[in-house]
Amino acid sequence: MIRSLHAHSTASAGLPGNGPTTSTSASSTTSTVLTTSSTTTRSTTSASSTPTALRGLHNLAKAKGRYFGTAIDGLQNNNDPAYQALTGNPAEFGISTAGNSLKWDATEPSRGTFTFTSADYHLKWAKDHGQLYRGHTLVWHSQLPNWVSSGGFSNSTLISIIENHISTVAGRYKGQLYAWDVVNEPFNEDGTYRTSVFYNTIGPAFIPIALRAARATDPSAKLYINDYNTDWIGSKSNAMYALAQSLVAQKVPLDGIGFQAHLIVNSFERTLPTNFQRFAALGLDIAITELDIRFKLPVTDALLASQAENYQYVVNACLGISRCVGITTWDTSDDYSWVPSTFPGEGAALLFDANKSPKPAYYAVANALAAATVKGNF
Ligand code: 9MR
């Protein structure tokens, strides 16, 4: 494991993927799930002579007006050529997200002192590999240095700290990023606002303040609010919807909603399409921003098959909606996932295994992308 993992201050009940435990039937998708995990058996469901999976997920997504991306972390210290070759393959991943290097603790560890070494390295690496870039994230309660969270600042001082942080960090990359997750994880599971230094000091107004600062700094970046466990219809997504509706009504600059989709195999409500659709109906883009679907180890063929079906369901939920611009998985192969260190005994959540071999879920996603009929507006 090369990535550094920051300690979580959140109780596990508040972590991504700790959603409802309702198990739903696997029969609600219509397309075929491939259950091969070998590169020698590939899907040929497409009309093209190139087997579907060989064309790469991003190429398949691009043909349908969408992107497929991945997240990466700790790149400067990475000595794994197979991982870099796969993660940097623009046929598979056309857009890259830094897992940690653009967060507040990485970019402004002390007040007014900015460090961009890791973010610069990552952005250059993505460009060198023909990839676009999603920025993650500007205002978040976590991975926030103590000088911000415990600074005891007044309302107006904290607003100016937010505005300075955004104008400096987003300003450095002006015009270079496809999108920014401007605000990350503002809600509790029950749909109330999460208590954070931002909410406690400024109230919910910290959200439009951050969005306006981001638009003023980088007018060409798509501006997102991003959260987890908002993927299905429930208290938390209802709160996100009410927020989105009110921001749109007030003409606050907001371009999209990010659905992280940190999921557990067979443990999420099958209401993603209806949920996504109501956000799209507000005139917003939507994106799946941190997709992974974990399960309790050990890996079995049955679990891999269920995971493949679950991935296909989630990807199809995006592919049915033209405003769903793309999908990002939260890293590339299982040996780099954040899951095992955060949820001991769980893992195997991504599309590629630790040998960088595509799993059944990879083929299920490739097939879903190839079969999509609704064009996206990426
Ligand atoms: O992948 C990130 C991991 O390396 C960090 O330790 C962790 C700290 O919270 O953050 C991870 O990424 C999170 C993302 O920024 C926001 N959504 C949840 C992700 C997984 O925890």
Side-chain angles (χ1 to χ4, degrees):
M1 194 80 165
I2 294 140
R3 307 182 301 126
S4 70
L5 286 174
H6 302 256
H8 278 274
S9 53
T10 350
S12 81
L15 286 168
N18 278 296
T21 46
T22 349
S23 245
T24 38
S25 145
S27 61
S28 52
T29 52
T30 48
S31 30
T32 314
V33 175
L34 291 180
T35 49
T36 168
S37 60
S38 152
T39 42
T40 54
T41 317
R42 294 180 181 104
S43 159
T44 51
T45 52
S46 139
S48 156
S49 57
T50 310
T52 301
L54 279 188
R55 280 183 268 137
L57 300 179
H58 179 65
N59 281 348
L60 290 165
K62 207 162 83 180
K64 303 295 163 72
R66 297 187 171 84
Y67 66 78
F68 204 94
T70 191
I72 188 170
D73 187 30
L75 203 48
Q76 301 101 299
N77 305 316
N78 184 291
N79 297 309
D80 183 348
Y83 173 76
Q84 290 200 37
L86 180 57
T87 301
N89 178 356
E92 296 288 5
F93 305 110
I95 191 161
S96 186
T97 304
N100 288 306
S101 48
L102 278 168
K103 290 172 179 173
W104 202 309
D105 61 353
T107 52
E108 194 183 4
S110 57
R111 190 171 177 182
T113 304
F114 290 87
T115 52
F116 292 112
T117 326
S118 161
D120 285 357
Y121 186 95
H122 185 159
L123 181 55
K124 181 177 183 313
W125 189 90
K127 275 189 191 156
D128 290 348
H129 289 81
Q131 297 173 325
L132 298 176
Y133 202 94
R134 279 193 102 257
H136 174 83
T137 177
L138 292 167
V139 179
W140 188 29
H141 67 278
S142 183
Q143 290 176 269
L144 186 66
N146 277 340
W147 74 263
V148 186
S149 52
S150 312
F153 299 113
S154 69
N155 179 58
S156 60
T157 306
L158 189 58
I159 290 173
S160 73
I161 285 171
I162 290 176
E163 289 174 340
N164 184 54
H165 182 75
I166 291 179
S167 69
T168 309
V169 177
R172 182 173 184 90
Y173 303 109
K174 182 179 175 182
Q176 299 180 63
L177 268 56
Y178 167 69
W180 265 112
D181 291 329
V182 178
V183 173
N184 200 37
E185 303 175 359
F187 291 112
N188 293 315
E189 295 306 293
D190 66 0
T192 55
Y193 279 104
R194 184 192 287 279
T195 52
S196 68
V197 70
F198 303 117
Y199 180 75
N200 296 350
T201 312
I202 305 169
F206 84 87
I207 296 171
I209 286 168
L211 288 163
R212 288 195 174 102
R215 177 69 92 231
T217 304
D218 187 354
S220 67
K222 303 272 187 199
L223 307 183
Y224 276 70
I225 302 173
N226 189 49
D227 213 328
Y228 63 88
N229 291 354
T230 47
D231 318 297
W232 54 86
I233 292 188
S235 309
K236 198 171 183 181
S237 64
N238 290 345
M240 181 66 94
Y241 179 73
L243 170 65
Q245 202 174 28
S246 114
L247 294 173
V248 168
Q250 294 170 69
K251 300 203 182 338
V252 173
L254 173 68
D255 300 302
I257 302 295
F259 297 88
Q260 293 183 9
H262 290 292
L263 301 171
I264 303 171
V265 164
N266 287 341
S267 299
F268 53 91
E269 307 270 356
R270 300 258 172 165
T271 50
L272 273 63
T274 336
N275 188 37
F276 291 173
Q277 187 57 57
R278 62 177 171 162
F279 287 90
L282 294 174
L284 296 170
D285 283 348
I286 60 179
I288 295 175
T289 50
E290 306 186 12
L291 178 59
D292 50 29
I293 310 183
R294 66 183 186 267
F295 54 79
K296 220 172 233 148
L297 301 170
V299 174
T300 64
D301 285 350
L303 281 164
L304 289 176
S306 294
Q307 181 185 53
E309 186 280 334
N310 285 198
Y311 260 103
Q312 192 171 50
Y313 170 82
V314 173
V315 168
N316 276 333
C318 170
L319 296 175
I321 294 165
S322 61
R323 293 300 300 252
C324 188
V325 291
I327 297 159
T328 294
T329 54
W330 204 241
D331 225 308
T332 306
S333 52
D334 288 337
D335 47 337
Y336 285 82
S337 169
W338 68 291
V339 168
S341 59
T342 307
F343 301 102
E346 296 180 55
L350 293 166
L351 298 178
F352 293 85
D353 66 19
N355 298 318
K356 307 346 178 239
S357 296
K359 294 159 62 181
Y362 173 89
Y363 297 99
V365 168
N367 280 347
L369 291 167
T373 51
V374 178
K375 272 241 176 194
N377 68 341
F378 170 59

